């Protein structure tokens, strides 16, 4: 069962109904482009398609191209519209036509009592532990999105552990996570119903019609556990929304995920957002859960996750192999229940083994660069494939972003990549793309100040050869900035994950801005690297 839907109660009901029958569920958000959605849906070959034909974003009406979706999916037996009569015109002439898929609404299905889509059953089906439950697609940060199949047993065990033990969710709690149906945190949120807690669903812009619309709902509904992203925290900083402690006095835990929570944002959230611990959690679509989380009994530290997930034997793999402490690539050296069951279009498991097991023997390789501290906390430094090599020195982009976030208020977003430069020592040149706050200008003074702050706050190797101002950075549909896309484009390689980007035009515009800036490099003094 595929779903291109909003984050509503009807969507959750449909998901629970489908999976209770043994059907496999895969959902996408409505803001995904037609071709990007089809790239996922066609490989799924769904029997049933659930849709919201219309939605509003910042007040503007957005219509889903339902007719085109149905035409491109010959496997369909039925189309179920969740917005009832409002969406009927979207499928006229396709669904319901002779020989075409059945055209119905969720209300019509409910009224019948038993769906015409499946053979009715009077009891819940008992299914094997690894029976496919969800298909999720990777964000496409580093390449073409992968269709990842997750099983019933592993998913439920992992989520119950995370919800009940790490988050201390229980009956009486109200969980609200700022997410769309295309992000794994939506599936994670639905599973929280198993704890007896209530789930508050938010659908729409966080900043429309009021700039604090999301916070108004959180306050009104008495949310006790709140999930947000570093991007939302940065929005609050930029919008000047502070002093929310009293409004959010019912919150006892804040969860942050989606990207690395930098130290300066972690500190800001503690001081200005809510009087509650801010837990930085990290894992991914690959495991439909978290490798590192918070704990009700642990202290929190700026830019760190409080602990590894219970039952996960995490290590940092460096030049000496897996270590219990230090910096390296995140690996898990023991099996765990929520490993994927399979990849789509991978009958013998070759692609799955290559993705996670070929890099290091007898270990799951997650692809994140981490620092395991002496106090058993974890600092996630970013993706390993985003690590730069400048003059033989390995640089994590997060080290650059952290300095800029703390020291350069004119910059709201940054993206660091290395460009091929055969004439330079090491053959690489560090390029920094920045999005500026309204009214700021990347002039000579700001350029030199950014370089000075990076040299003093990190090292001379972190100082870019060029700084380029752009209107926006390329991001995936899960709002992750894609260093891989810029890396490919800047080095004249085909962009591997172009279809996974929410704003693919941003890549070409950024490269054009970089090319225009190269003629100015001679006028900007370089920082000398000594020692």
């Amino acid at each position: 069962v595929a779903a291109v839907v909003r984050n509503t109660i009807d969507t959750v009901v449909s998901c629970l109904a489908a999976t209770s029958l043994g059907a496999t569920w895969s959902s996408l958000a409505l803001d995904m482009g037609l071709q990007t959605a089809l790239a996922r849906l066609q490989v799924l070959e769904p029997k049933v398609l659930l849709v919201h034909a219309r939605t509003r974003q910042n007040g503007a009406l957005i219509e889903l191209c339902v007719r085109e979706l149905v035409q491109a999916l010959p496997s369909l037996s039925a189309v179920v519209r969740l917005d009832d009569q409002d969406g009927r015109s979207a499928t006229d002439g396709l669904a319901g036509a002779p020989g075409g898929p059945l055209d119905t609404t969720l209300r019509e299905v409910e009224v019948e009592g038993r769906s015409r889509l499946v053979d009715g059953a009077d009891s819940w089906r008992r299914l094997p532990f690894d029976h496919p439950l969800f298909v999720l697609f990777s964000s496409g940060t580093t390449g073409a999105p992968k269709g990842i199949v997750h099983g019933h047993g592993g998913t439920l065990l992992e989520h119950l552990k995370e919800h009940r033990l790490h988050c201390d969710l229980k009956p009486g709690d109200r969980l609200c996570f700022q997410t769309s149906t295309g992000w794994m945190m939506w599936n994670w949120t639905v599973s929280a119903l198993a704890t007896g807690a209530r789930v508050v669903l938010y659908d729409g812009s966080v900043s429309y019609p009021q700039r604090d619309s999301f916070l108004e709902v959180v306050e009104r509904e008495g949310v006790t556990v709140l999930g947000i992203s570093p991007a939302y925290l940065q929005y609050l900083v930029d919008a000047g929304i502070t002093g929310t402690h009293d409004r959010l006095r019912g919150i006892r835990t804040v969860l942050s995920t989606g990207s690395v929570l930098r130290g300066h944002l972690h500190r800001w959230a503690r001081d200005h957002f809510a009087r509650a611990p801010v837990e930085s959690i990290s894992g991914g679509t690959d495991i439909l859960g978290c490798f590192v989380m918070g704990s009700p009994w642990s202290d929190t530290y700026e830019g760190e996750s409080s602990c590894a997930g219970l039952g996960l034997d995490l290590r940092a793999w460096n030049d000496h192999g897996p270590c219990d402490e230090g910096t390296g690539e995140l690996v898990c050296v023991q099996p765990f229940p929520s490993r994927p069951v399979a990849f789509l279009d991978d009958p013998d498991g070759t692609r799955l083994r290559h993705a996670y097991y070929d890099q290091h023997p007898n270990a799951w390789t997650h692809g994140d660069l981490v620092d395991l501290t002496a106090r058993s906390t974890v600092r996630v430094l970013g993706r390993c494939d985003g690590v730069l090599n400048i003059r033989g020195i390995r640089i994590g982009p997060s080290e650059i972003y952290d300095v800029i976030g703390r020291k350069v208020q004119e910059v709201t977003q940054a993206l660091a990549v290395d460009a091929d430069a055969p004439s330079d020592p090491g053959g690489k040149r560090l390029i920094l793309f920045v999005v500026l706050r309204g009214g700021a200008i990347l002039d000579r003074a700001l350029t030199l100040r950014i370089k000075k702050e990076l040299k003093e706050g990190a090292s001379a190797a972190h100082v870019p050869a060029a700084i380029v101002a752009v209107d926006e950075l390329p991001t995936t549909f899960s709002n992750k900035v894609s260093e891989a896309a810029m890396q490919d484009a800047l080095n004249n390689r085909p962009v591997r994950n172009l279809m996974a980007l929410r704003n693919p035009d941003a890549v070409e515009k950024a490269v054009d801005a970089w090319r225009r800036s190269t003629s100015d490099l001679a006028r900007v003094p370089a920082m000398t690297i000594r020692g």
Side-chain angles (χ1 to χ4, degrees), residues 146-382:
K146 303 181 289 289
I148 306 173
V149 183
H150 290 282
H152 276 249
T155 299
L156 185 59
L157 275 178
E158 181 64 25
H159 289 184
L160 278 173
K161 178 200 75 176
E162 293 177 1
H163 291 143
R164 298 183 66 176
L165 302 181
H166 284 280
C167 299
D168 197 25
L169 271 179
K170 51 190 178 296
D173 274 321
R174 294 193 176 194
L175 167 69
C176 180
F177 218 104
Q178 177 206 342
T179 181
S180 73
T181 55
W183 188 22
M184 60 153 283
M185 296 313 300
W186 183 85
N187 307 73
W188 189 91
T189 299
V190 172
S191 297
L193 293 169
T195 68
R198 294 188 180 187
V199 169
V200 177
L201 306 175
Y202 186 88
D203 182 63
S205 170
V206 296
S207 57
Y208 182 89
Q210 285 82 37
R211 62 178 187 161
D212 60 348
S213 291
F214 178 61
L215 294 182
E216 284 187 355
V217 172
V218 170
E219 179 184 12
R220 184 178 71 238
E221 298 298 328
V223 171
T224 58
V225 178
L226 177 63
I228 54 175
S229 65
Y232 180 66
L233 287 175
Q234 186 63 57
Y235 159 74
L236 295 177
V237 174
D238 296 341
I241 300 175
T242 57
T244 58
H245 289 111
D246 290 337
R247 296 179 60 185
L248 304 179
R249 57 185 177 274
I251 292 177
R252 59 178 176 80
T253 303
V254 178
L255 307 173
S256 173
T257 191
S259 59
V260 176
L261 181 60
R262 314 292 174 193
H264 70 283
L265 275 181
H266 206 159
R267 182 169 58 254
W268 183 91
R270 179 198 63 202
D271 295 341
H272 300 287
F273 187 56
R275 292 189 177 93
V278 180
E279 303 286 5
S280 179
I281 64 177
S282 180
T285 301
D286 313 78
I287 64 168
L288 195 45
C290 302
F291 272 126
V292 296
M293 294 202 71
S295 161
W297 307 281
S298 302
D299 294 328
T300 57
Y301 301 89
E302 290 178 12
E304 299 179 8
S305 300
S306 299
C307 61
L310 288 168
L312 296 171
D313 194 353
L314 299 190
R315 310 288 178 87
W317 195 296
N318 57 30
D319 293 340
H320 305 290
C323 300
D324 296 326
E325 188 177 325
T327 301
E329 192 166 8
L330 176 65
V331 298
C332 191
V333 297
Q334 296 290 342
F336 51 96
S338 64
R339 291 178 297 173
V341 173
F343 280 176
L344 295 179
D345 285 343
D346 184 31
D348 62 355
T350 299
R351 291 176 57 215
L352 187 145
R353 288 191 297 273
H354 175 70
Y356 304 117
Y357 297 104
D358 284 358
Q359 298 89 328
H360 302 297
N362 301 316
W364 168 285
T365 303
H366 196 56
D368 283 345
L369 188 68
V370 296
D371 180 24
L372 305 183
T373 72
R375 54 175 173 246
S376 298
T377 61
V378 182
R379 293 178 62 234
V380 179
L381 305 176

Side-chain angles (χ1 to χ4, degrees), residues 29-102:
L30 264 70
D31 60 355
M32 187 170 288
L34 176 63
Q35 294 306 316
T36 303
L38 281 176
R40 292 157 169 77
L41 294 175
Q42 286 174 329
V43 72
L44 283 170
E45 297 183 341
K47 295 293 185 183
V48 178
L49 176 67
L50 293 100
V51 294
H52 277 111
R54 295 181 176 90
T55 188
R56 289 191 176 272
Q57 191 172 58
N58 294 326
L61 180 66
I62 298 176
E63 297 197 45
L64 180 67
C65 301
V66 180
R67 293 175 61 87
E68 287 82 351
L69 286 178
V70 174
Q71 285 177 321
L73 298 172
S75 60
L76 288 177
S77 297
V79 177
V80 181
R81 287 172 283 105
L82 303 191
D83 36 16
D84 293 344
Q85 299 300 321
D86 186 46
R88 184 175 293 280
S89 61
T91 56
D92 281 351
L94 288 172
L102 172 70

